[in-house]
Amino acid sequence: MPGGRRVAAVTGARFDVAPGECLALIGESGCGKSVLASALLGLLPGNAQTAGSALLGDLDLLTADERTLARTVRGRLIGLVPQSPAAHLTPVRTVRSQLEETVAALTATRGRAALRAAAEAAAERAAFPADHLDRHPHQLSGGLAQRAATALALVGDAPLLLADEPTTGLDRDLVDRTVDELRRHVDDPGGTNGGGRALLMITHDLTAAERIADRVAVMYAGRIVELAEATAFFGSPGPRHPYSRGLLQALPDRAFTPVPGMPPELGDLPAGCAFAVRCDRATGTCATPPPTGTVACHHPHVPEDVRA
């Protein structure tokens, strides 16, 4: 950063996603979710540095060169539904031409008629209307641009799909249809060793996450603070980290109570728990780094049956 300042946008993130599984990554805006996805695809800005490893099979995505990422990874091994689809669509070409080009590049489909049919099939998977295929990106609403980007991401049937806010701008019915299609992509036995495909879905839509996810990872201030099975997270016993519980309680169909305060600046994080100043369970112990593991908290919620 200017003046030699460094910001740790994501720190100590540890998780895996298996074939046939969806991991939903949730958290407030600015916590590092999209930065993490960009790191996996080699799309970070030039002044960013990465450390550690991110393995897709035997390939370490963090050390792969640009040629490998461009020719082997993006679109083929990892599909991306971007957070800002309008910025990823070519403005001077129609949606149809972009879909046909992607089909030709990522599949064995050849011939004008076959490419046209494959492009229309890809559009249908993402609920993109056929009568809009010959429009340019600037002629699309935000929701239509989102569906076009989803259609492009699904073309290569990549073993790993990164979906960064794939339901932005969609009404509830289209949200459900989109996540159901993503779920079908995950469950399709054509994935790795016939075990399906993996999906890392970044989302603010907890209702969509509950509908699609097998596990949930909660990120706060650049760190994953909880990893949990989706059924336990959204049902009983519920999340164990106070921040995770606050996210659920902020939903309109629950307590509709916002998490108090604001997230800290990533360039000025405390030495201890970053959530402590917003947490009603905080004590002096929280001035020290929280424990590592599935719940990064000194005072996690404990299910009643465990206490008994």
Side-chain angles (χ1 to χ4, degrees), residues 7-308:
V7 172
V10 178
T11 304
R14 298 177 182 272
F15 63 91
D16 60 357
V17 190
E21 180 184 38
C22 170
L23 176 67
L25 182 60
I26 65 175
E28 288 167 290
S29 295
C31 68
K33 305 185 300 298
S34 295
V35 171
L36 190 151
S38 296
L40 298 180
L41 284 164
L43 297 176
L44 290 173
N47 63 337
Q49 298 178 354
T50 59
S53 61
L55 298 178
L56 181 60
D58 296 326
L59 177 65
D60 188 343
L61 299 171
L62 298 187
T63 59
D65 57 41
E66 176 58 27
R67 180 185 178 90
T68 300
L69 291 168
R71 297 195 174 190
T72 305
V73 176
R74 298 179 193 134
R76 292 173 173 84
L77 294 178
I78 303 179
L80 172 67
V81 181
Q83 185 177 33
S84 302
H88 287 74
L89 297 172
T90 303
V92 296
R93 298 179 60 191
T94 65
V95 175
R96 183 189 300 278
S97 68
Q98 295 182 60
L99 276 170
E100 289 181 355
E101 179 186 46
T102 304
V103 170
L106 300 182
T107 73
T109 305
R110 295 294 180 266
R112 185 169 183 176
L115 287 173
R116 184 180 181 90
E120 290 174 356
E124 185 178 1
R125 287 180 68 184
F128 187 89
D131 59 358
H132 285 54
L133 280 169
D134 294 312
R135 296 189 180 187
H136 291 80
H138 73 273
Q139 297 174 301
L140 305 178
S141 66
L144 283 174
Q146 185 71 58
R147 283 182 268 170
T150 301
L152 288 165
L154 292 174
V155 165
D157 284 328
L160 173 62
L161 185 65
L162 298 183
D164 193 354
E165 299 290 351
T167 60
T168 299
L170 305 181
D171 61 37
R172 196 73 246 166
D173 287 342
L174 281 173
V175 167
D176 292 345
R177 178 166 175 174
T178 298
V179 297
D180 288 347
E181 182 57 49
L182 293 176
R183 186 72 238 187
R184 280 191 288 272
H185 178 83
V186 171
D187 294 335
D188 190 321
T192 305
N193 297 322
R197 300 177 177 88
L199 170 63
L200 175 60
M201 187 172 84
I202 296 168
T203 185
H204 289 103
D205 189 336
L206 298 188
T207 302
E210 183 177 7
R211 187 178 180 93
I212 192 175
D214 298 293
R215 289 188 298 143
V216 177
V218 182
M219 181 170 275
Y220 184 77
R223 295 179 181 270
I224 292 178
V225 296
E226 183 166 6
L227 269 169
E229 296 293 326
T231 52
F233 186 90
F234 291 107
S236 179
R240 298 190 61 205
H241 196 284
Y243 174 64
S244 306
R245 297 181 76 88
L247 287 180
L248 283 189
Q249 291 306 305
L251 293 176
D253 59 348
R254 301 210 181 198
F256 206 24
T257 303
V259 180
M262 295 291 292
E265 293 290 335
L266 293 179
D268 189 27
L269 293 177
C273 175
F275 186 63
V277 295
R278 306 173 71 186
C279 182
D280 60 5
R281 299 170 70 89
T283 66
T285 307
C286 300
T288 61
T292 58
T294 56
V295 185
C297 181
H298 290 291
H299 308 294
H301 287 261
V302 179
E304 293 295 333
D305 57 341
V306 174
R307 290 177 183 167

